[in-house]
Amino acid sequence: MAAYWRSMPLKNSELRLDRTLACGQSFRWKETQTGEWTGVLGGLVWTLKQTATELFFRTHPSFSVPSVKQEQAVTPEPLIHKGTLGKNFTKKEAHSSVGCVAEDLCDPVTVKSENADLAVNSSHNEDYEHSLLEDYFQLHVDLGQLYQTWAQADLNFAQTSQKFSGIRILRQDPVECLFSFICSSNNNISRITAMVNKLCSYYGKKIVEVEGIPYFSFPTVSALADDSVERTLRELGFGYRAKFISQTAQYIMTNHSENWLLSLRDMDYDKAKDLLMKLPGVGGKVADCVCLFSLDKTGAIPIDTHVWKIAARDYMPKLRQAKSLTDRLYQEIGDHFRSLWGEYAGWTHSVLFTADLRHFQETNDKGLPAKKEILKRSNKLAVEKDSKCTKKKR
């Protein structure tokens, strides 16, 4: 079975995959080839790449493709933000901009399914896939307009953002977001990614293999609530986080339900954050990460020592005298940024956070390949694969 490229018009000033998918929001995406990112979203395995003006995407057929009806039971309609800060698009308008790529750009990828005889009705799920991608990247939000608004309010942002465009906030599944960020305590992106992958391979369900690499769904809350989870995760190197993952899952299943976290999207920011902080291992920073990256709380600002240093260096000099990040200072920093940047302050914070990360310092705003270059690479890859297959047959 093969997966083929499709595309939608999208300027790289509105989305940069290399920044948005690698800045510590999500830990499910991997750059599998230069400029190509593969990960799991909505029960499907995706590969994404882009030029300066187009986003290319393909989903890899699996033995268990989610139906539109099933997904609608747990996934709300895409959030359309009101007001002057974001440009609103209807679902119909968004879908009308999506098209298939020319046939000569559709190089196949080897995909191994658990049931190779299953015929996948891709057209049946096409609308669902388009909606899912648009919702995940929140493409109804006019990022260019937001950047202009922030630049007018903040000279430091105006200078930094010139080299760091296209950084969006993802709209992730709240369960995946919560347990991923419980893993983030005193950790780095590489180790968090490894832990999240272990959670998926041990407690999720296998979706498909792509180029020999298996991809799994994220575990359900009930799967992580099993009594054996803490012991297993400790053996896998999770340390004290194993207890928090197990206890949080058990707390949710005992006091709420499998889909409880989704209901927090309908609550105001303060209420949702307070409820999250009742969970074992969830402090203010983790709660704000979940609020911002999965619960539509655009003003949530996760503050760690890194953000604290940015605030002290560029915005609040008095913080340089502070010896620790107290709860009072945490609130004061968040309120300062919300007052300065407005409704989407959490998005602004993520731009400056990403720009300050060491592994982004050398990339800056380097150009993306043109469509001709992507075509050239795709054709070259197809030739190489054909050559390998011919050799194996001999």
Side-chain angles (χ1 to χ4, degrees), residues 145 147-155 158:
Q145 180 59 53
Y147 267 61
Q148 290 181 28
T149 301
W150 298 327
Q152 291 171 1
D154 179 4
L155 179 60

Side-chain angles (χ1 to χ4, degrees), residues 59-292:
T59 57
H60 301 281
S62 71
F63 64 94
S64 180
V65 178
S67 68
V68 175
K69 185 176 180 180
Q70 288 173 328
E71 288 297 323
Q72 286 177 342
V74 297
T75 305
E77 288 293 298
L79 179 71
I80 303 298
H81 294 291
K82 305 295 183 181
T84 60
L85 290 179
K87 181 178 180 181
N88 300 332
F89 293 97
T90 65
K91 182 180 289 187
K92 182 177 180 181
E93 289 171 335
H95 285 176
S96 67
S97 67
V98 181
C100 290
V101 186
E103 186 175 347
D104 57 359
L105 191 55
C106 297
D107 58 300
V109 168
T110 303
V111 178
K112 180 181 178 182
S113 171
E114 293 294 291
N115 185 354
D117 296 328
L118 180 65
V120 178
N121 186 351
S122 60
S123 62
H124 177 72
N125 288 285
E126 188 169 322
D127 286 344
Y128 163 69
E129 292 175 10
H130 292 169
S131 295
L132 188 60
L133 196 62
E134 293 155 6
D135 182 62
Y136 184 66
F137 287 115
Q138 307 200 69
L139 297 182
H140 56 278
V141 176
D142 188 336
L143 190 63
Q145 180 59 53
L146 286 177
Y147 267 61
Q148 290 181 28
T149 301
W150 298 327
Q152 291 171 1
D154 179 4
L155 179 60
N156 180 60
F157 178 87
Q159 295 172 338
T160 302
S161 63
Q162 292 178 13
K163 295 183 178 180
F164 288 91
S165 61
I167 299 173
R168 285 186 166 270
I169 295 299
L170 304 173
R171 193 179 194 231
Q172 301 177 58
D173 172 72
V175 172
E176 177 177 328
C177 191
L178 170 63
F179 288 99
S180 295
F181 278 98
I182 289 177
C183 294
S184 73
S185 176
N186 296 315
N187 226 339
N188 57 50
I189 292 177
S190 178
R191 289 194 65 214
I192 300 167
T193 300
M195 288 182 178
V196 171
N197 286 338
K198 288 177 182 178
L199 280 180
C200 296
S201 62
Y202 273 78
Y203 297 104
K205 293 182 179 180
K206 185 175 180 181
I207 301 172
V208 71
E209 285 187 13
V210 180
E211 298 292 306
I213 300 175
Y215 290 85
F216 300 85
S217 65
F218 198 87
T220 60
V221 180
S222 56
L224 295 175
D226 188 87
D227 290 337
S228 65
V229 168
E230 180 180 350
R231 181 181 69 255
T232 300
L233 293 183
R234 285 189 180 278
E235 293 172 353
L236 293 173
F238 281 65
Y240 64 87
R241 304 169 195 85
K243 178 179 69 175
F244 292 146
I245 290 170
S246 174
Q247 290 182 349
T248 290
Q250 291 174 357
Y251 179 93
I252 292 173
M253 294 307 297
T254 299
N255 297 283
H256 303 289
S257 67
E258 184 75 49
N259 294 325
W260 170 69
L261 287 166
L262 272 175
S263 71
L264 301 187
R265 286 181 172 173
D266 298 325
M267 299 180 184
D268 63 37
Y269 164 52
D270 290 332
K271 178 64 174 176
K273 183 176 178 179
D274 286 345
L275 288 173
L276 287 170
M277 291 180 66
K278 295 181 183 296
L279 302 173
V282 178
K285 180 217 157 188
V286 170
D288 274 328
C289 286
V290 178
C291 283
L292 179 61

Side-chain angles (χ1 to χ4, degrees), residues 150 154 157 169 298 341-342 344-353:
W150 298 327
D154 179 4
F157 178 87
I169 295 299
T298 59
W341 297 326
Y344 284 75
W347 288 52
T348 329
H349 137 277
S350 290
V351 176
L352 297 179
F353 175 84

Side-chain angles (χ1 to χ4, degrees), residues 313-360:
R313 183 190 67 208
D314 300 327
Y315 295 94
M316 304 170 70
K318 70 175 185 177
L319 295 177
R320 299 169 190 170
Q321 308 301 321
K323 295 182 179 180
S324 63
L325 182 60
T326 63
D327 290 343
R328 183 183 63 80
L329 283 180
Y330 188 104
Q331 185 67 38
E332 188 176 342
I333 294 170
D335 288 344
H336 177 86
F337 285 147
R338 281 184 281 270
S339 176
L340 176 62
W341 297 326
E343 181 185 357
Y344 284 75
W347 288 52
T348 329
H349 137 277
S350 290
V351 176
L352 297 179
F353 175 84
T354 302
D356 211 59
L357 292 176
R358 183 177 300 174
H359 63 276
F360 285 111

